[in-house]
Amino acid sequence: MGFATDCIHAGQEPDPTTGAVTVPIYQTSTYVQEELGKHKGYEYARTHNLTRRSLERNLAALEGGEDAYAFASGMAAIQAVLTLVKAGQRVVVSDNVYGGTHRLFTKILANYAVDFAFLDATDPGNLEREAGRFELLWIETPTNPLMKICDIRALADVARRQGALLVVDNTFMSPFFQRPLSLGADIVVHSTTKFLNGHSDSVGGVAVVKDRGHADWLRYVQNAVGAILSPFDSWLVLRGTKTLHLRMPRHEENACAVAPFLYQHPKVERVFWPGFPDHPGHLVHRRQASGFGAMIAFELGSLDAARRMLARVRLSSLGESLGGVETLISHPATMTHAGYSREDRAALGITDGLVRISVGCEDAADLVADLEQALAAV
Ligand SMILES: Cc1ncc(COP(=O)(O)O)c(C=O)c1O
């Protein structure tokens, strides 16, 4: 089936009891059994829930995976995937990732004798030379918030030569624009909180795998650890993905108006967006994705300038998160990437003057006008 058809139908069948077109919210903790060991395949809701399962099947289809497992947050999905790594093993991570991912790896999982090495993954050759032996390679592309581009196919080759897994956090692109499993990645994770749900009203995460063994392990972890996505949140994300193919082009169309506006603005020192031909990852991104997405970062030069601009936005909402139909604007240094040390942020270029915008689905002219009046305060 085509992508739009999968968005609307994959993983979902009319409810067998009533014929309801929409998968119901199976809000139950348990299921009645006829006699010992005789039941309909549903025993307890941490283990089995048809609303969650429908979402998982839907997301597996959208990413082209064998199976998917949904978790209570993007971070819970990331943590579940990291259970594939054992004490004494090594994980290589692209140097710029979401601050929460960096925090989980360096402040929590590093305590379990897993070694994390952060390297610039924009150059696969550099990674191959520097990385040494590793069991898992973790990347974002584009990265949050600097929009660096990693070559998924080339990094999949590097990982495969090591017998290592490649995991791609595909939150910024969504499967509408980029399908890492088809480029050689082993596992894709998402914060479903973002574009997949798309309406800023649910927190969740998913891991999509193409290997049956990984699927079985993640199902086991999902049940054993218990960080499941609730039936209501599963239903919300399932409703969100029904319009993913309609929302993403609109997000991008608006980004195509906002990014050039920022680029030419005298108060903006630099704009990070892979759609610009002078972006160092432009060609790689074009090869591996069908669009540039709606995440843009820009440099205003100082904390004071960023503070003044962010205090003036009216239509864009100042807040953490991204991927909603409403435009969200944030300050990585004090919000999403506060978990990095000041030195690490400085080394990467996550400055105090950096602002990140998740361009929503409003009218582009209104968004540009709002940014223009806010930049007048800088
Ligand atoms: C790229 C990326 N991955 C993972 C996460 C974590 O997701 P959640 O907030 O749903 O736990 C985020 C959150 O902002 C993110 O931006």
Side-chain angles (χ1 to χ4, degrees):
M1 294 289 177
F3 191 83
T5 307
D6 276 346
C7 280
I8 296 167
H9 294 288
Q12 302 160 72
E13 272 139 38
D15 174 45
T17 311
T18 63
V21 168
T22 305
V23 172
I25 304 168
Y26 286 95
Q27 190 66 39
T28 186
S29 60
T30 192
Y31 308 88
V32 70
Q33 307 195 8
E34 275 174 55
E35 57 183 75
L36 279 185
K38 196 165 174 210
H39 51 75
K40 295 181 163 57
Y42 296 88
E43 291 166 272
Y44 185 58
R46 168 157 43 74
T47 326
H48 301 113
N49 181 279
L50 190 52
T51 319
R52 189 176 77 230
R53 196 67 193 127
S54 302
L55 172 67
E56 291 170 343
R57 289 196 198 116
N58 179 257
L59 294 176
L62 296 186
E63 283 288 2
E66 162 74 17
D67 215 335
Y69 292 92
F71 295 87
S73 67
M75 291 317 305
I78 293 171
Q79 192 272 338
V81 170
L82 263 290
T83 61
L84 288 162
V85 178
K86 297 183 177 53
Q89 295 190 331
R90 190 146 184 273
V91 177
V92 172
V93 188
S94 58
D95 56 4
N96 172 211
V97 285
Y98 167 57
T101 305
H102 184 270
R103 180 176 54 203
L104 172 68
F105 291 177
T106 58
K107 302 285 191 320
I108 297 177
L109 300 180
N111 295 336
Y112 295 83
V114 176
D115 179 29
F116 289 92
F118 290 81
L119 291 175
D120 180 1
T122 56
D123 173 5
N126 166 53
L127 192 118
E128 195 149 34
R129 283 187 298 278
E130 303 280 311
R133 250 224 73 65
F134 61 89
E135 276 74 25
L136 191 145
L137 174 56
W138 185 283
I139 63 164
E140 292 176 8
T141 182
T143 64
N144 182 356
L146 293 168
M147 308 301 292
K148 291 195 202 176
I149 302 301
C150 304
D151 186 331
I152 298 173
R153 204 183 280 283
L155 292 174
D157 287 344
V158 174
R160 194 173 311 109
R161 281 198 287 278
Q162 294 250 5
L165 300 177
L166 174 64
V167 186
V168 180
D169 182 334
N170 203 28
T171 299
F172 269 29
M173 282 289 103
S174 91
F176 180 80
F177 286 129
Q178 180 170 275
R179 307 222 301 172
L181 298 180
S182 71
L183 298 165
D186 299 285
I187 299 176
V188 163
V189 299
H190 280 275
S191 166
T192 61
T193 316
K194 312 298 176 354
F195 289 103
L196 291 178
N197 180 54
H199 294 77
S200 303
D201 53 14
S202 155
V203 171
V206 71
V208 189
V209 296
K210 64 182 183 201
D211 174 79
R212 193 63 246 165
H214 294 152
D216 291 344
W217 175 249
L218 283 182
R219 181 162 40 101
Y220 187 80
V221 169
Q222 186 192 47
N223 180 53
V225 178
I228 46 167
L229 192 63
S230 77
F232 183 50
D233 286 293
S234 300
W235 184 85
L236 282 172
V237 182
L238 202 48
R239 190 179 61 162
T241 58
K242 285 199 171 82
T243 57
L244 185 67
H245 62 296
L246 302 174
R247 286 183 283 112
M248 294 313 290
R250 173 66 178 206
H251 278 289
E252 190 185 45
E253 188 187 317
N254 284 353
C256 286
V258 168
F261 162 74
L262 292 169
Y263 196 89
Q264 57 75 47
H265 198 284
K267 301 276 179 58
V268 177
E269 294 180 6
R270 201 170 155 196
V271 184
F272 303 82
W273 187 58
F276 293 126
D278 63 357
H279 184 291
H282 178 74
L283 290 178
V284 172
H285 185 81
R286 280 181 75 135
R287 221 173 35 233
Q288 65 191 11
S290 60
F292 301 112
M295 298 302 300
I296 305 169
F298 55 100
E299 177 59 57
L300 290 179
S302 70
L303 178 59
D304 190 45
R307 196 192 301 279
R308 273 186 278 146
M309 191 231 166
L310 292 170
R312 271 279 282 270
V313 285
R314 294 286 169 265
L315 181 56
S316 307
S317 305
L318 172 60
E320 302 213 11
S321 202
L322 59 110
V325 287
E326 56 290 290
T327 295
L328 291 164
I329 196 160
S330 65
H331 185 244
T334 58
M335 298 167 107
T336 50
H337 290 69
Y340 278 74
S341 69
R342 173 168 278 282
E343 298 71 44
D344 283 349
R345 279 201 306 273
L348 282 171
I350 304 176
T351 64
D352 287 351
L354 191 74
V355 173
R356 190 192 76 185
I357 185 165
S358 163
V359 181
C361 294
E362 300 92 339
D363 287 299
D366 293 335
L367 291 174
V368 168
D370 184 44
L371 293 172
E372 188 155 37
Q373 65 80 26
L375 283 166
V378 174

